[in-house]
């Protein structure tokens, strides 16, 4: 799958699904999900998949979480363009599988999720961190607006979150000001500011502004957020994983052209890549052929050699040409069996771009990860 977001891969989750004391795991697939039972730590057995309501759906994000508060872990699943779902644990119902839709405002994809009991009613509520063709759209898109889903014993209501919609990769509930209420952090890619909130304890959140002098800086291309007490002062700290734009991968976008010839290949030979040479070469080829910003039609998908990959590459190149030329009619040239690529092409032209003020937003750090140390007054200090 050469297109955003499916090239990021699929989610995986772990938990004791059958309450036998051994950790099981579930994986999102292109046919819903698969659940594997841990047999006493020695082997795993696939116990069920092929849920009828999820058949053929491109699942991306998955979590094992008890959403109906019956003491058994359920399966929360998000899919590409077909909504979010919860599959109730079938063991208490003696094997009967129940699937319920979880609202996400018809978002293209909920790429990150988090769970906490926001209103103290004993049912876990959900944050939908949404995503919309980030590598193609990049800027704030209305359809990428994040949402809070209130869970009233599987009767769901949805509300939009304050803040600039970004391409969300990470969402996290954590009590960063130690008031006993879940606070919220949302990490966005593609130069859209991350958003931080304090929980009010009333089923709502208050957005933290730059002027509040609580969070001094955040990352520009946020991949993940976590909290922990790294310095053992009993105050939570925040760590943010950013993209570090290394010189080696910056230049692969045109390595087969005259001006940049062999630069990316030199990177593979330099020993600086964590990949073996064969994998590095393949990554360089893909980055060159499928870079949406620097399309060079003279570079041929045949460089990939594998016939299936050549075909997938050519189809994706057609979608990139359509978006680059702003010509929606070219999407129609993508036909079966590549209807997912056809969908991606068309969705690009449906994106509702937003221009919003950034005066209240927290400034962003490029290139490097961040470690924000919690202070006694519940502010944070960059100690990276």
């Amino acid at each position: 799958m050469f297109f955003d977001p499916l090239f990021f891969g699929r989610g995986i989750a772990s938990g004791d699904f059958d309450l036998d004391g051994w950790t099981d795991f579930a994986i999102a697939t292109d046919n819903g999900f698969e659940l594997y039972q841990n047999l006493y730590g020695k082997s795993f057995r696939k116990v069920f998949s092929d849920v009828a309501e999820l058949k053929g759906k491109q699942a991306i994000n998955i979590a094992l979480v008890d959403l109906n508060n019956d003491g058994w872990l359920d399966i929360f699943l998000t899919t590409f363009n077909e909504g979010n779902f919860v599959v109730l644990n079938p063991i208490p119902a003696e094997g009967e599988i129940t699937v319920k839709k979880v609202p996400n405002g018809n978002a293209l994809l909920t790429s990150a999720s988090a769970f906490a009991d926001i209103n103290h009613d004993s049912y876990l509520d959900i944050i939908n961190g949404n995503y919309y063709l980030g590598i193609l759209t990049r800027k704030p898109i209305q359809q990428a607006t994040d949402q809070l889903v209130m869970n009233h014993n599987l009767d769901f209501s949805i509300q939009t979150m304050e803040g600039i919609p970004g391409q969300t990769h990470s969402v996290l509930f954590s009590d960063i000001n130690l008031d006993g209420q879940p606070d919220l952090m949302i990490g966005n890619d593609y130069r859209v500011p991350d958003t931080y909130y304090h929980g009010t304890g009333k089923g709502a959140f208050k957005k933290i502004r730059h002027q509040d002098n609580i969070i001094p800086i955040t990352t520009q291309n946020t991949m993940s957020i976590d909290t922990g007490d790294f310095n053992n002062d009993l105050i939570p700290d925040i760590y943010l994983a950013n993209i570090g734009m290394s010189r080696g991968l910056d230049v692969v976008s045109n390595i087969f052209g005259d001006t940049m010839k062999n630069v990316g290949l030199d990177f593979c030979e330099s020993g600086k890549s964590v990949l073996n040479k064969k994998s590095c070469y393949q990554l360089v080829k893909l980055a060159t052929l499928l870079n949406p910003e620097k399309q060079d039609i003279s570079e041929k998908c045949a460089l990939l050699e594998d016939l299936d990959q050549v075909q997938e590459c050519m189809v994706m190149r057609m979608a990139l040409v359509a978006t680059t030329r702003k010509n929606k009619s070219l999407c129609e040239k993508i036909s079966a069996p590549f209807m997912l690529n056809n969908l991606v092409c068309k969705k690009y032209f449906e994106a509702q771009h937003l221009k919003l003020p950034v005066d209240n937003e927290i400034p962003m750090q490029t290139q490097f990860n961040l470690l924000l140390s919690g202070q006694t007054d519940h502010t944070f200090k960059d100690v990276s």
Side-chain angles (χ1 to χ4, degrees):
M1 292 296 185
F2 285 159
F3 57 84
D4 186 342
L6 295 187
F7 59 48
F8 290 129
R10 312 282 174 160
I12 186 167
S14 62
D16 187 3
F17 186 80
D18 53 4
L19 296 183
D20 65 351
W22 295 90
T23 301
D24 312 300
F25 74 92
I27 55 174
T29 72
D30 59 3
N31 195 36
F33 72 95
E34 295 175 356
L35 177 68
Y36 290 85
Q37 182 186 25
N38 184 343
L39 301 176
Y40 312 108
K42 296 180 179 179
S43 62
F44 288 88
R45 177 180 65 187
K46 184 162 68 172
V47 287
F48 73 85
S49 59
D50 296 326
V51 175
E53 293 93 331
L54 302 175
K55 204 172 273 290
K57 289 179 169 54
Q58 298 282 342
I60 304 295
N61 192 30
I62 190 167
L64 289 173
V65 58
D66 182 8
L67 287 179
N68 60 354
N69 199 25
D70 66 351
W72 296 82
L73 294 176
D74 308 304
I75 299 171
F76 175 82
L77 198 69
T78 78
T79 70
F80 182 68
N81 195 48
E82 297 191 75
N84 299 348
F85 301 87
V86 57
V87 182
L88 297 182
N89 194 314
I91 297 176
E94 298 182 346
E96 182 178 338
I97 295 176
T98 301
V99 180
K100 292 185 70 73
K101 197 81 181 282
V102 179
N104 74 342
N106 296 317
L108 185 63
L109 172 64
T110 297
S111 57
S113 311
F115 308 86
D117 184 6
I118 301 303
N119 57 354
H120 306 288
D121 67 349
S122 300
Y123 293 98
L124 292 175
D125 307 300
I126 307 166
I127 284 290
N128 290 333
N130 293 326
Y131 190 92
Y132 197 93
L133 304 182
I135 201 168
L136 296 176
T137 54
R138 295 176 180 259
K139 298 176 181 178
I141 303 296
Q142 179 67 47
Q143 294 101 316
T145 302
D146 296 324
Q147 301 134 350
L148 171 62
V149 180
M150 301 303 294
N151 175 15
H152 312 281
N153 193 11
L154 304 182
D155 181 17
F156 300 104
S157 60
I158 189 172
Q159 51 191 277
T160 59
M161 295 298 296
E162 180 186 1
I164 298 178
Q167 306 293 339
T168 300
H169 281 311
S170 187
V171 292
L172 179 69
F173 284 120
S174 186
D175 183 10
I176 58 173
N177 62 354
L178 299 176
D179 66 351
Q181 307 297 335
D183 306 309
L184 175 64
M185 287 151 277
I186 292 178
N188 297 318
D189 196 0
Y190 300 108
R191 304 180 184 180
V192 175
D194 298 337
T195 314
Y196 297 76
Y197 307 83
H198 279 149
T200 65
K202 300 177 181 178
F205 293 93
K206 181 181 179 182
K207 184 173 179 286
I208 298 173
R209 306 172 304 158
H210 175 46
Q211 298 93 314
D212 297 328
N213 296 315
I214 295 173
I215 306 291
I217 192 168
T218 190
T219 41
Q220 178 174 279
N221 299 96
T222 306
M223 297 290 102
S224 188
I225 303 173
D226 203 1
T227 56
D229 182 12
F230 86 95
N231 55 2
N232 205 30
D233 64 356
L234 305 184
I235 301 172
D237 311 299
I238 303 171
Y239 191 82
L240 297 133
N242 199 15
I243 289 182
M245 298 293 188
S246 72
R247 174 67 179 164
L249 292 182
D250 269 348
V251 299
V252 299
S253 57
N254 197 21
I255 63 169
F256 296 103
D258 291 335
T259 56
M260 304 293 284
K261 191 173 183 179
N262 290 332
V263 176
L265 297 179
D266 288 345
F267 172 69
C268 294
E269 296 284 351
S270 69
K272 295 179 180 178
S273 171
V274 297
L275 304 172
N276 62 50
K277 289 183 181 179
K278 182 178 179 181
S279 299
C280 184
Y281 290 152
Q282 189 74 353
L283 177 63
V284 165
K285 289 177 182 177
L286 283 171
T288 300
L289 294 165
L290 299 177
N291 187 322
E293 295 182 299
K294 300 178 181 177
Q295 279 295 293
D296 183 349
I297 302 303
S298 68
E299 295 166 348
K300 305 299 182 186
C301 288
L303 289 164
L304 297 174
E305 298 173 354
D306 179 277
L307 292 181
D308 289 338
Q309 290 190 356
V310 170
Q311 191 176 32
E312 287 274 2
C313 175
M314 292 173 68
V315 171
M316 195 61 229
R317 285 287 288 271
M318 177 58 73
L320 293 177
V321 169
T323 59
T324 301
R325 297 182 181 177
K326 304 294 190 290
N327 185 348
K328 186 178 180 180
S329 66
L330 292 177
C331 298
E332 301 304 328
K333 295 184 179 295
I334 303 173
S335 55
F338 298 102
M339 297 316 293
L340 269 177
N341 303 68
N342 178 293
L343 174 69
V344 168
C345 190
K346 290 179 177 177
K347 286 293 182 181
Y348 170 83
F349 294 96
E350 296 177 12
Q352 301 171 31
H353 294 266
L354 301 174
K355 290 186 178 181
L356 299 171
V358 296
D359 299 343
N360 295 332
E361 304 304 320
I362 296 166
M364 296 177 285
Q365 163 74 52
T366 62
Q367 304 280 346
F368 304 103
N369 297 346
L370 282 174
L371 178 58
L372 303 179
S373 176
Q375 307 296 298
T376 55
D377 61 357
H378 306 308
T379 64
F380 289 84
K381 179 182 178 182
D382 176 17
V383 297
S384 306

